[in-house]
Amino acid sequence: MRVLAFLLLLTGASAFVTGGTAFLGRPVNTVERQSTSSLNMISHRKGFKTLGKPADQRKALLRALTTEVIRHGRIKTTLVRARAVRKHVDHMIELGKRGDLHARRQALAWVYDKDLVHSLFEAAPDRYSDRQGGYTRVLRTVARQGDNAKMAIIELV
């Protein structure tokens, strides 16, 4: 019986075909396709990137990155983090350009270093007086070696 089933399989007979007709459908392609495009979904009604962290850790991370960008002028981080922190760095520079007491207290509430806020408020009105925004630049670099994460450099313009 097994031999008969094996011979029918070799000759192309199928148990699912009635009347002895052959399968007329499209042949199955067993070659895997290489997709060159990545799937980028649009995130409607999502306010911001969560960076894979709870709210308190995310806020601490963004505060620390903002402080370091203002202190050093340029840092290397992941692309998603660089795009997320750009908004906060630009806001701190806007506060520094404004220069009033309320802006200073708002900056002190976000940036960790008090002396850094004072130097920001001294330098920002002169350095960025002719710019109306876009105080940071995000440059993509090579992927990180260990986990192939997209890396970027965020710097002050």
Side-chain angles (χ1 to χ4, degrees):
M1 189 64 164
R2 287 183 184 174
V3 176
L4 181 62
F6 181 69
L7 290 175
L8 288 175
L9 183 65
L10 287 179
T11 59
S14 174
F16 300 107
V17 178
T18 59
T21 59
F23 177 69
L24 299 176
R26 202 175 89 200
V28 177
N29 189 2
T30 58
V31 178
E32 294 182 23
R33 296 182 193 175
Q34 294 291 332
S35 176
T36 57
S37 65
S38 62
L39 183 63
N40 293 327
M41 301 294 289
I42 298 173
S43 56
H44 293 290
R45 298 180 62 132
K46 308 291 184 209
F48 48 86
K49 297 283 188 183
T50 58
L51 304 176
K53 300 196 176 301
D56 57 340
Q57 294 176 17
R58 183 172 55 247
K59 183 179 177 183
L61 174 70
L62 291 174
R63 287 179 67 187
L65 288 174
T66 302
T67 303
E68 294 306 310
V69 168
I70 293 171
R71 176 178 291 133
H72 297 292
R74 168 188 291 198
I75 61 168
K76 184 177 181 180
T77 183
T78 63
L79 181 63
V80 177
R81 288 180 182 179
R83 287 178 178 168
V85 78
R86 176 173 47 186
K87 166 185 163 183
H88 299 286
V89 174
D90 285 353
H91 182 61
M92 292 301 118
I93 294 175
E94 285 289 337
L95 293 175
K97 281 177 62 176
R98 224 170 66 196
D100 57 348
L101 181 62
H102 182 57
R104 186 176 294 265
R105 286 179 175 164
Q106 284 180 320
L108 283 168
W110 186 261
V111 177
Y112 284 127
D113 191 0
K114 183 178 180 179
D115 296 329
L116 186 64
V117 172
H118 293 308
S119 64
L120 173 68
F121 273 69
E122 290 173 3
D126 298 332
R127 183 173 175 181
Y128 298 109
S129 61
D130 57 338
R131 295 184 77 92
Q132 297 298 318
Y135 307 112
T136 56
R137 177 184 301 130
V138 176
L139 303 170
R140 294 183 66 160
T141 60
V142 297
R144 187 162 51 199
Q145 185 71 32
D147 59 352
N148 204 28
K150 295 178 183 176
M151 298 299 286
I153 295 173
I154 181 168
E155 63 184 4
L156 296 174
V157 176

